[in-house]
Amino acid sequence: MIRYRGVAYYPEFWPEDRWDEDIRLMREAHINLVRIGEFAWTPMEPAEGRFDLGWLHRIIEKMGAAGIEVMLCTPTATPPAWLTKACPDTLLVTREGKRAVHGGRRHYCPTSATYRRHVERITERLASEFSRYPNVTSWQIDNELGPESGECYCESCASGFRGWLERRYGNLERLNAAWQTRFWSVVYTDWAEIDIRHCEAGYPSIDLDVRRFHSDSWVDFAAHQAGILRRLHPGSTVTTNMMGPVFRWIDYHDLAKVVDVACDDLYFDMATMSGDALAADVFRCLKPGKRFWVTETGSASLVTGKPPHADQLRAWAFSSAARGSDAHVIFRWRTCLAGQEQDLQGIIETSGKPRRRYAAVKRLFEELEDLVPALGSLPLPKADVALVHTYDSHWAWQSTRIGGQVKELEHLYAVHELLFDRNVLVDPVPTDRDLSPYKLVVLPSVCIVRPETVAALQAFVRAGGVVLATPQLASRDVNNNYVPRCAPDGLTDLFGLRVEGKAFLDDASEPDRAIWFPKGNMVLETAHARFEDGTACEARAYVEDLELVGAKALARFTDNLYEGCPAATVNEAGKGAAFYAASYLDADGLGSLLDLALQRAGIAPGPRTPKWVEVVRRGDVTFAVNHSREPCTVEIPGREAVVGEWKKGKARLGAYGVCAVRG
Ligand code: GAL
């Protein structure tokens, strides 16, 4: 259960004679961790090589005296004005060739050698000066790495990309073959001809490599700082705050390898509750076997400033705790008087007074602290279902025009929501993870499947595992080109089917519809399908023309292009089975297919609960959290209640109620 109760604090913004009062209030609110320094480069180093760190020493000492640990952040998200003025090559350049200007954040180029030099100086200085404090226990690298101010296409990135390609492909022959550049005469005959911006029209294979390069650049940027911090402060926890549920610009499976703990900035009002649960699940699985931290979460809405109900704030904390979090850090201590996020509410009012948000956080943190002895050492929750998510596939989808219409990520969220609704815990994992701990592996539109994964899936099913895949499985090669065979490539035997044709459905041929004039009035169409038991569902936007070679049809299309053809199938293979959906089935359709797959895998869904009531088992404790305003009763077997109202196997959950039952 949650060990760190924290807050982001910006002492550089507040008068020093206020600090003691802030720390007193923090102690009273049971805060035991503060994040400090993330945007304070100029106060730390007002001119190149001239450091002013006295204030940082003083605040860290004060925190230490109060028993509060410090997560010290490197300030590299916000380069000082003197730096960007002296070295404009540190500023990112947009695809259109526009150089960023000072005053925002994350407007630097992660590959700039000049920027790295400055980053190294400040990071080394901070690590060597502050590692001596026993209460500085963790480091945050930068803040939310990624292209917040845009991805960079400067000269350094352009030549970096060419070098990256040379290392990947060795020679131009292999590069041209991988990218299949003959189309539109793109063929490269000299490395110097390759432009990271490549063509406006997009070229999926090139686009995928550009995305890979950008991602690698961010990971490398983080690794540089991580190396310095580990060298100068061994034993500390080195991390960076990331974003969920699925951040599309950096391969977090790579970034996670650079850090000691996976940290998510989880603002619960940014996604639906199942999206928030997905974020928690994703971060639990980034560092297998390790608890994750929620490094930022709001005590009020990010956009409007309206606070959630105090009990809802509590329900959110219990939800992520049940899913494996070990830190709950509120953004931020006090509402700022100025700046880009002036209206973003802190726990303390602009006046400096602790009012309602403070009271809510204090109550929550007091409870979390009280629960540490009883729930502090629970093992992580164990999932029977793996949900495959890979950046190759996410990026492949984004690089196609139609990908924007189908919204592959929304499909991933939809699959997760169906499992969330059934109280079946899911591990979102990349394909190189060991699949043997799972009974069911779900592959939502995983269009790129590497040969190793093909072999792993076959072995998994042969040994008794069950897989469920949705459209476009293994339809592309690792270079983002369609395979010149029937999909799913390498897996047609396993699924007992061949995808012989496909179509994105649109209504453009109707007399009042058009693709161009008037532009944008075409909509993606819905077909329909029916399962054997009569369940009818919508099949959205995209359909595949399946030829069954062993599989059995579980549902068929009842109209549109492939009327009468299979819409969902199952194939028994070895000791296991492979299920397939030939379209984006709605919740009824995909839910039915999922139920069949769960049943075949021998996974009993969790207790039936009303919508937005979740049940998660962690060790010998079952958590039930009601995220809705409607009170309800949920059946939970067990021995004794640790939290909430529970009697004779029944938990009574009020609005936003929480119950934790042992046994
Ligand atoms: C996070 C960021 C914070 C703050 C917060 C609220 O993404 O790390 O610095 O901006 O959002 O918008």
Side-chain angles (χ1 to χ4, degrees):
M1 189 75 180
I2 291 174
R3 165 176 163 216
Y4 284 123
R5 304 167 298 276
V7 72
Y9 186 46
Y10 299 94
E12 70 275 20
F13 189 81
W14 302 106
E16 200 160 332
D17 60 11
R18 166 73 196 196
W19 292 357
D20 288 334
E21 172 66 355
D22 282 340
I23 293 173
R24 185 186 69 78
L25 288 168
M26 285 178 193
R27 283 191 52 147
E28 277 184 12
H30 304 265
I31 284 168
N32 62 359
L33 179 78
V34 289
R35 283 168 68 222
I36 287 184
E38 56 183 346
F39 304 125
W41 196 336
T42 314
M44 291 170 178
E45 190 184 5
E48 183 168 351
R50 182 160 69 75
F51 292 94
D52 178 4
L53 296 169
W55 64 275
L56 199 49
H57 281 283
R58 291 194 293 281
I59 189 70
I60 288 173
E61 273 162 17
K62 280 177 185 290
M63 291 292 174
I68 297 176
E69 288 184 35
V70 172
M71 174 187 267
L72 194 52
C73 310
T74 66
T76 54
T78 49
W82 57 255
L83 193 163
T84 53
K85 178 165 152 273
C87 316
D89 61 316
T90 60
L91 288 165
L92 72 85
V93 175
T94 65
R95 199 182 166 130
E96 293 71 40
K98 216 174 131 231
R99 199 173 279 285
V101 291
H102 180 77
R105 63 178 179 185
R106 320 210 43 70
H107 45 300
Y108 62 83
C109 164
T111 73
S112 156
T114 316
Y115 197 56
R116 291 285 182 102
R117 240 185 15 252
H118 289 284
V119 162
E120 192 161 305
R121 190 184 54 248
I122 185 73
T123 307
E124 277 185 346
R125 184 64 187 246
L126 290 178
S128 48
E129 204 153 323
F130 295 100
S131 55
R132 77 175 89 126
Y133 291 99
N135 65 317
V136 175
T137 49
S138 55
W139 291 89
Q140 175 187 304
I141 295 166
D142 206 283
N143 178 73
E144 295 184 341
L145 293 164
E148 183 179 353
S149 296
E151 207 70 90
C152 185
Y153 295 87
C154 71
E155 250 324 298
S156 159
C157 290
S159 64
F161 182 52
R162 287 191 285 266
W164 185 94
L165 292 171
E166 280 199 63
R167 289 191 297 280
R168 186 177 176 85
Y169 295 107
N171 59 50
L172 284 170
E173 214 178 343
R174 286 178 51 197
L175 173 138
N176 281 310
W179 284 355
Q180 299 197 16
T181 47
R182 282 196 199 217
F183 198 65
W184 286 8
S185 194
V186 172
V187 184
Y188 294 101
T189 55
D190 184 337
W191 292 102
E193 291 157 6
I194 299 173
D195 187 330
I196 188 172
R197 291 167 303 171
H198 65 102
C199 65
E200 284 296 333
Y203 206 97
S205 50
I206 305 179
D207 201 71
L208 177 57
D209 273 348
V210 172
R211 288 171 196 270
R212 285 174 174 147
F213 165 74
H214 281 313
S215 173
D216 283 0
S217 303
W218 289 114
V219 173
D220 190 61
F221 184 81
H224 175 220
Q225 293 192 37
I228 298 170
L229 296 168
R230 291 212 173 90
R231 172 165 53 83
L232 296 172
H233 195 177
S236 62
T237 299
V238 174
T239 189
T240 185
N241 53 339
M242 311 186 209
M243 287 161 277
V246 176
F247 184 71
R248 290 187 301 184
W249 292 270
I250 302 177
D251 187 332
Y252 274 180
H253 298 123
D254 293 340
L255 186 57
K257 294 190 181 119
V258 170
V259 298
D260 298 323
V261 57
C263 293
D264 185 20
D265 290 352
L266 208 179
Y267 288 88
F268 290 86
D269 55 340
M270 299 285 270
T272 60
M273 198 53 226
S274 64
D276 297 328
L278 173 62
D281 291 339
V282 163
F283 279 79
R284 181 185 63 250
C285 296
L286 282 180
K287 305 265 327 158
K290 285 201 156 186
R291 299 158 183 216
F292 67 96
W293 293 3
V294 174
T295 29
E296 282 186 26
T297 187
S299 63
S301 158
L302 271 184
V303 177
T304 63
K306 183 182 168 218
H309 189 285
D311 290 337
Q312 195 174 15
L313 200 71
R314 174 175 179 256
W316 289 341
F318 273 86
S319 173
S320 47
R323 286 170 191 272
S325 90
D326 207 19
H328 204 71
V329 183
I330 307 278
F331 186 86
R332 54 192 166 171
W333 176 244
R334 180 168 166 186
T335 310
C336 255
L337 311 179
Q340 292 90 338
E341 297 191 320
Q342 195 183 32
D343 284 321
L344 206 148
Q345 303 300 306
I347 301 173
I348 301 288
E349 308 297 327
T350 39
S351 64
K353 289 191 186 159
R355 296 282 294 170
R356 290 161 195 262
R357 290 186 305 281
Y358 176 82
V361 169
K362 180 178 167 183
R363 212 173 79 198
L364 168 66
F365 281 2
E366 182 171 13
E367 183 180 10
L368 293 180
E369 182 170 13
D370 288 348
L371 284 172
V372 170
L375 300 175
S377 51
L378 292 178
L380 286 172
K382 202 187 144 311
D384 286 328
V385 180
L387 183 65
V388 170
H389 93 98
T390 79
Y391 280 82
D392 271 358
S393 283
H394 297 322
W395 290 333
W397 275 101
Q398 283 170 64
S399 69
T400 62
R401 227 191 291 170
I402 204 74
Q405 310 248 22
V406 166
K407 304 199 171 40
E408 164 259 359
L409 274 186
E410 285 182 14
H411 175 56
L412 177 86
Y413 300 157
V415 172
H416 184 272
E417 183 169 337
L418 289 169
L419 288 153
F420 175 89
D421 288 348
R422 285 158 176 73
N423 290 308
V424 173
L425 189 77
V426 176
D427 277 357
V429 294
T431 43
D432 58 2
R433 274 300 150 78
D434 176 18
L435 298 177
S436 62
Y438 303 105
K439 295 179 180 164
L440 171 65
V441 173
V442 183
L443 299 129
S445 275
V446 180
C447 60
I448 295 180
V449 179
R450 291 171 182 258
E452 318 81 88
T453 307
V454 166
L457 289 171
Q458 280 163 341
F460 174 72
V461 174
R462 234 177 275 125
V466 174
V467 296
L468 188 166
T470 63
Q472 294 234 1
L473 175 72
S475 53
R476 293 158 183 264
D477 64 18
V478 292
N479 303 311
N480 204 9
N481 303 307
Y482 279 121
V483 293
R485 293 170 289 279
C486 289
D489 195 31
L491 292 167
T492 49
D493 287 349
L494 190 71
F495 284 85
L497 58 85
R498 289 195 304 260
V499 179
E500 297 279 354
K502 57 180 185 283
F504 290 93
L505 302 179
D506 66 61
D507 61 358
S509 58
E510 295 300 321
D512 58 345
R513 296 274 158 188
I515 290 175
W516 290 112
F517 310 112
K519 197 169 167 142
N521 82 336
M522 174 202 97
V523 290
L524 289 184
E525 269 180 28
T526 295
H528 295 86
R530 190 184 301 280
F531 277 75
E532 278 173 340
D533 69 358
T535 304
C537 65
E538 289 183 356
R540 292 177 181 151
Y542 173 83
V543 285
E544 288 177 338
D545 185 9
L546 301 189
E547 185 68 43
L548 302 193
V549 286
K552 170 177 165 239
L554 296 170
R556 289 186 181 273
F557 292 111
T558 52
D559 59 9
N560 217 307
L561 207 58
Y562 302 139
E563 185 173 347
C565 298
T569 64
V570 63
N571 189 45
E572 291 292 325
K575 291 188 194 152
F579 290 76
Y580 193 80
S583 179
Y584 294 101
L585 306 180
D586 67 10
D588 290 337
L590 194 53
S592 295
L593 191 60
L594 202 53
D595 286 336
L596 292 169
L598 287 168
Q599 202 179 32
R600 177 65 183 77
I603 300 170
R608 271 178 172 276
T609 50
K611 189 77 183 166
W612 307 126
V613 177
E614 62 173 325
V615 175
V616 178
R617 189 157 172 84
R618 190 170 168 187
D620 65 347
V621 173
T622 305
F623 291 85
V625 185
N626 180 6
H627 295 284
S628 83
R629 276 185 223 144
E630 293 302 314
C632 66
T633 302
V634 178
E635 297 211 2
I636 298 182
R639 226 174 39 242
E640 51 164 351
V642 187
V643 180
E645 258 183 75
W646 176 85
K647 242 193 224 150
K648 295 190 187 146
K650 285 194 168 45
R652 174 100 199 110
L653 299 165
Y656 312 118
V658 173
C659 198
V661 180
R662 194 180 296 279

